[in-house]
Every structure is written in structure tokens, then in C-alpha cells.
Amino acid sequence: MEFSSFSHMRAAANSFLSQYEPLTLVFAPLLAVVIARLIQRLVDVVNEKGVKAAVLGFLIGSAKLVPGVKRYIDAEKQKVVDKLQSGSKSKRDGWITDLPRTGLGEGVIEKMKEEKRNDVVWQGKCSGTVYIGGSESEGHFTLINEACSMFAHTNPLHMDVFQSVARFEGEVVAMTATLLGSKEKASGGRICGNMTSGGTESILLAVKSSRDYMKAKRGITRPEMIIPESAHSAYDKAAQYFNIKLVRVPVNKEFQADVKGIRRRINKNTILIVGSSPGFPHGIIDPIEELGELASSFGICFHVDLCLGGFVLPFARKLGYPIPPFDFSVEGVTSISVDVHKYGLAPKGTSVVLYRNHDIRKHQFVAVTEWSGGLYVSPTIAGSRPGSLIAGAWAAMVSLGQEGYLNNTREIMEVSKKLQKGIKDIPELFIIGRPDMTIVALGSDVVDIFEVNDILSSKGWHLNALQRPNSIHICVTLQHVPVIEDFLSDLKESVQTVKQNPGPVNGGLAPIYGAAGKMPDRGMVQELLVNFMDSSC
């Protein structure tokens, strides 16, 4: 009976298909597969970029197929790139491109001093950038330089040889972990980590470790991570490097991570969510406790970016400032990044990545067993690392101690409050959100804030331009303690200049920042940035 039914179905199928050409029957399934792949690709693009951005990207891409349009767009982009460079190409004239036939010997030091004199004045004039106070020829600067010089030849890759540097790294990690709750009962008592070259590498390693840990734990092979739009661009870099889908969620009205919005985007492929303490753009701490609860309830990883706050928030809390929970005392936090070369006052190129336990950190390491050069294992992205920087970080932390950091925090927090009051006294300006620390962002509904920034630049100040909303920020350091009144005076004067004479400043970048913020095709903005970088380095 069953065989009869099968024969009947077979005959009916053959009868139906007999009306088609054999080639049609061969190519139709292949065409269907191609169409399905195209539809899937379209769906992926829409999911990644959104409907509006996907449509705009398609229209712009189609327009470039028209003869002459692509050439015109490329020419206009090059004009913007040239404007951004502001003559940097001409500065390359006279650069050394070949090794000198006869070396300069010790005379090279005089040559370097000559070149250094061409640097712009940075003392007290930059947002962030230099965190150590005072002159570079005395005090903490001198101490750091001597420590680095003493260990300039060392490399922790050879830990059996440079045992002092290996100890320094272990102690820097341990001291940093203690600041961030490793001795609290809630931490679990297994906090571990490593030193890295900076906040970006710390974040990259935390993301890579989270990806591999969740793959081993849950079998996730198409990983996704969810970040608030205020999270550092290092997460974008990690997503590109490690083939992770990045889901970006708008911040709430207080410019904090939107916990409900993040919750809605969690799915079976989510490996990691992110919070900042504070965020780079506006200096606002995300709701770390709520995000920790969310991560715990879904059994996923949660990274906290403390690159700016790691050496300020623990001491600000001791000084009585209302600092919400931000470290390993919060359940659900699985990793933390913290820069020692910012408010830790260590030499540039020193950061720490910490993990709640060794089970997660093991996924950071790379072990190679089949290399003819022998068995190899490395803890971080770099193989060889400068022991001088590790020694400099250790020297900075041990020389300052808790009292040193407490005094520094008191100074910069007081200057931050003075800065906020000064900005509020300028009626044309407003502060973005409610800053929790030493980063203060300001905007305006009356004047073009980027034009204000151009005027400040002409006065020697170097601030960061932000978007969404258009604003600028200053990251307060010890360098600003003696000059904050000068800054507020120049800020007030710059606002009045723009108010009385609105319009682009000759040689300023306000038109470019403004246009980039309004440009709907973000792919084109990305191309501009890539072209700028390609011609600048």
C-alpha cells in the first residue's frame, strides 16, 4: 500500500515537471539559493544598520555608479581631508627617510630637544592628555622618567630573567584590584588580571575573553555584544577584530545606559553587555548595579570601563562624594578595564584588565603547541612588552600611595565643581547631564558650540568635540588646577565672540564637524575618516 502511494506521488511529480525544460529544473534551485542568500544579506544589513541607513547606503552606492558622480564625490571628500589635515603634509618636508650615513652619536639628544621645542604648549591647555601635574622637569615627572630609564632594557616576556619586572606587574595588578573591590566578600576573592598597553587593549582583551568564554560555556558561535552609544569606540574596534556583531542602544534622558533598552536587545547570541564609570563623552556613571543584575539574570558577561574612573572614584567616595557602586562588589561584573596612565599618573602605555575569576581570564591567553620555535604562550596582544612602563607604573603607585591619590582626587574634584559652576554662570551654555567625576561636557542652543571650540583653539586650548548632541568636553587633570580661572575667562569671551560674530572661523573645523553630524550617510563619514587617517600616518 505504502509503495503504491509512493509510486503514485512519483508519477504525479514527474508528470508535473515534464512541462519544464531540463535546464530550468537544474538552474531554478540554484537561482532560489542565490535569491535566498541576497535576502538574508539584506536582512543582516538592515538589522545591523537600520532601515534608514541601509536605504541611504543603497541609494548612495547606486548614485556612485553614474559616470562622473563617484569622481565628484571623491574630489569633495579629498577637500575635506585636506582641510582636516590643516597643512600637515607640508610639515613632512625635511623628514628623515634614510638612515644617516654617519650617526649623530650623543648629538642626537640635542636634535630631539630641538624637535621637541616645536611641540605646541600643552601645560594646562589640553583636555585630559597629560594627567601629571607640574613641570616635566621636576617632581613626579622626574621620578617616572628615572624609573623608566632604569628598566628600559627589560621585557616581561623573559620573566625568568627580569624577575623584578614580573613582580612589579603582579603588584600593580593586585593593588589596582584591591582599589576595585577584590577584597570585598561579594567579589568572590578570585580577581585576577594583567597589564596592557592602554585602555583599548584592555577592552579588546576583555571582549575577546568574554567571546571565547561564552563559546565554551554556552556554545555561542555567532556572538553579539550590546553597548550604550556612549561606550568607548574601542568596542567598535573589538567587534571588527573579533567578528562580533555590535548592537548599539541609545542612552536615556540622563545620558546613561538605558537598562530597559539593553534588556530588549538581549538574545540567545548575546555574550556581553557594557557599562562605563564614567563614560568618556559626558563623564556620567552608568547604572552599574542594574546592568549587573541584568547580566546575572541572563548568565552573560558584563564589562565595566573604568579607564577614566579607576583611580578617582574609590578616593572620591572616601572624600564623601555620592559615588554609586561601580566595581567587583557589584554582582554580575565579570571584567573591568582601568588605565594607570591616566589618573594613576603612570607613564603612557599602562593599563590593567581585571577578571572576576581565572576561568574567564584563561580565555585571554594564546597558547601555541605546534611551532618549530618551541612551546609558546602569551597573556596579552603584544609578545614583547616594555618593562620600563611596568616599572614606571609601579613607581607611580607606590610613590603616591593612598594619601597621594586622595589629595589629587580632592584637588581635581574641587576644580571640576568650580568648572561646572563657571559654565552655569554663562547663560548661553548648558552642561550635558549631571557629571559624576572630572569630565564636563557643554553645549549651547544659542551659539554654534563648534565655533566656540575654534575660538578656544585659537587661544591655545585643546578640547574634544562631541556629537549627539553637538558639544565639547574638557577632562580635568592636575594640569588644570592653577589655570581653571583662565579657561573660564577665555570660554566666556569665546562665547561672546561667536554670539556677536556668528559664522565659521577662518581655518576652523566647525563647518566640518557640523556637516559630519548632519550627514545622513554615515558610511561616507566613515570613508572620510579612513582617508584622513591613511594620508596622515
Side-chain angles (χ1 to χ4, degrees):
M1 184 69 178
E2 290 181 2
F3 179 76
S4 176
S5 298
F6 175 75
S7 297
H8 179 73
M9 289 174 58
R10 178 182 174 187
N14 287 332
S15 175
F16 175 77
L17 294 174
S18 64
Q19 59 186 309
Y20 297 100
E21 291 285 338
L23 282 177
T24 301
L25 297 178
V26 172
F27 285 110
L30 297 176
L31 181 62
V33 170
V34 171
I35 293 173
R37 291 291 296 272
L38 289 173
I39 293 174
Q40 180 62 55
R41 185 176 178 183
L42 177 62
V43 170
D44 290 342
V45 170
V46 171
N47 285 337
E48 180 181 353
K49 298 183 178 180
V51 176
K52 183 178 178 180
V55 172
L56 280 170
F58 174 77
L59 293 176
I60 294 295
S62 300
K64 288 180 179 179
L65 297 177
V66 178
V69 172
K70 183 178 186 301
R71 187 164 56 251
Y72 172 78
I73 291 176
D74 289 343
E76 291 302 306
K77 285 193 297 186
Q78 189 57 48
K79 290 179 183 178
V80 176
V81 170
D82 292 341
K83 180 74 173 177
L84 286 170
Q85 287 180 322
S86 300
S88 62
K89 284 186 178 179
S90 63
K91 295 177 184 177
R92 295 191 176 202
D93 293 341
W95 281 21
I96 296 174
T97 57
D98 294 299
L99 278 171
R101 185 174 298 277
T102 302
L104 297 180
E106 294 184 2
V108 75
I109 299 299
E110 287 303 317
K111 174 66 175 174
M112 294 175 75
K113 288 180 179 178
E114 179 185 333
E115 291 295 334
K116 189 177 181 182
R117 282 193 285 269
N118 294 325
D119 291 346
V120 300
V121 176
W122 54 264
Q123 290 84 350
K125 290 288 190 176
C126 302
S127 171
T129 310
V130 179
Y131 292 77
I132 301 172
S135 167
E136 60 182 311
S137 60
E138 60 185 20
H140 193 76
F141 276 107
T142 303
L143 183 146
I144 294 302
N145 289 339
E146 185 175 348
C148 288
S149 177
M150 192 186 307
F151 290 87
H153 60 288
T154 65
N155 180 356
L157 181 67
H158 307 287
M159 63 177 69
D160 56 327
V161 178
F162 304 115
Q163 298 178 34
S164 55
V165 172
R167 175 175 175 172
F168 291 156
E169 177 173 12
E171 292 184 355
V172 167
V173 170
M175 289 186 287
T176 305
T178 300
L179 286 178
L180 302 178
S182 68
K183 294 186 177 180
E184 299 290 331
K185 186 176 180 180
S187 75
R190 300 181 62 209
I191 307 301
C192 55
N194 293 91
M195 289 190 69
T196 72
S197 62
T200 292
E201 186 184 358
S202 291
I203 288 173
L204 288 174
L205 289 172
V207 172
K208 187 265 183 190
S209 301
S210 300
R211 182 198 68 176
D212 293 353
Y213 173 72
M214 292 300 290
K215 181 179 181 180
K217 179 182 176 183
R218 301 259 288 267
I220 296 175
T221 56
R222 300 183 66 184
E224 300 180 12
M225 64 176 169
I226 306 173
I227 69 171
E229 63 181 13
S230 57
H232 197 275
S233 55
Y235 296 102
D236 291 77
K237 186 177 287 189
Q240 292 184 37
Y241 283 1
F242 304 133
N243 196 27
I244 299 171
K245 180 179 178 181
L246 186 69
V247 180
R248 203 184 313 273
V249 177
V251 293
N252 61 24
K253 293 179 180 179
E254 288 74 40
F255 295 92
Q256 294 177 304
D258 182 354
V259 179
K260 291 182 179 178
I262 291 174
R263 182 187 184 93
R264 286 194 294 270
R265 302 304 294 272
I266 293 177
N267 61 36
K268 64 179 182 179
N269 291 319
T270 302
I271 59 165
L272 175 72
I273 61 174
V274 167
S276 304
S277 296
F280 170 82
H282 314 118
I284 298 171
I285 297 175
D286 287 328
I288 302 302
E289 277 191 309
E290 294 178 53
L291 290 169
E293 291 176 7
L294 185 62
S296 293
S297 65
F298 281 92
I300 57 179
C301 295
F302 173 32
H303 181 77
V304 178
D305 180 0
L306 270 159
C307 288
L308 279 164
F311 282 85
V312 175
L313 296 180
F315 301 103
R317 176 182 285 169
K318 288 185 178 181
L319 291 170
Y321 286 94
I323 306 297
F326 57 84
D327 56 19
F328 283 114
S329 63
V330 177
E331 183 182 358
V333 174
T334 53
S335 57
I336 287 176
S337 53
V338 51
D339 285 354
V340 196
H341 65 205
K342 289 189 172 74
Y343 291 106
L345 307 190
K348 291 300 180 186
T350 51
S351 180
V352 172
V353 58
L354 298 169
Y355 298 94
R356 183 169 286 274
N357 56 55
H358 294 265
D359 294 337
I360 304 173
R361 187 179 69 151
K362 286 178 181 178
H363 293 278
Q364 173 184 293
F365 305 152
V366 172
V368 180
T369 61
E370 305 307 310
W371 180 35
S372 58
L375 300 177
Y376 178 87
V377 63
S378 176
T380 59
I381 291 176
S384 292
R385 292 183 292 151
S388 58
L389 300 183
I390 293 172
W394 185 87
M397 295 177 69
V398 175
S399 68
L400 287 167
Q402 293 190 34
E403 288 186 4
Y405 285 118
L406 203 64
N407 291 332
N408 290 342
T409 300
R410 181 183 292 108
E411 285 195 86
I412 57 176
M413 290 295 284
E414 287 176 357
V415 170
S416 176
K417 297 304 176 187
K418 187 180 293 185
L419 172 64
Q420 292 178 53
K421 182 181 183 303
I423 293 171
K424 290 176 181 177
D425 288 341
I426 303 174
E428 293 85 0
L429 302 178
F430 60 83
I431 294 174
I432 307 293
R434 297 169 61 183
D436 290 300
M437 209 182 81
T438 52
I439 301 93
V440 182
L442 52 141
S444 177
D445 293 326
V446 180
V447 295
D448 186 326
I449 198 65
F450 294 142
E451 291 179 11
V452 172
N453 193 34
D454 282 342
I455 298 294
L456 285 169
S457 295
S458 70
K459 296 177 182 291
W461 300 98
H462 304 273
L463 275 60
N464 295 91
L466 314 174
Q467 60 179 352
R468 300 177 181 175
N470 287 352
S471 50
I472 57 178
H473 88 195
I474 180 168
C475 176
V476 174
T477 74
L478 291 171
Q479 286 286 328
H480 298 120
V481 174
V483 300
I484 194 63
E485 295 295 347
D486 295 337
F487 172 75
L488 288 170
S489 176
D490 281 351
L491 176 62
K492 186 175 182 179
E493 185 179 307
S494 299
V495 169
Q496 293 307 311
T497 299
V498 173
K499 187 176 181 181
Q500 294 167 15
N501 302 282
V505 177
N506 186 31
L509 298 177
I512 295 175
Y513 282 120
K518 296 175 183 176
M519 196 177 291
D521 181 17
R522 308 312 290 172
M524 188 173 293
V525 178
Q526 187 178 43
E527 288 176 12
L528 281 172
L529 294 174
V530 170
N531 289 348
F532 166 69
M533 181 57 63
D534 185 51
S535 58
S536 300
C537 63

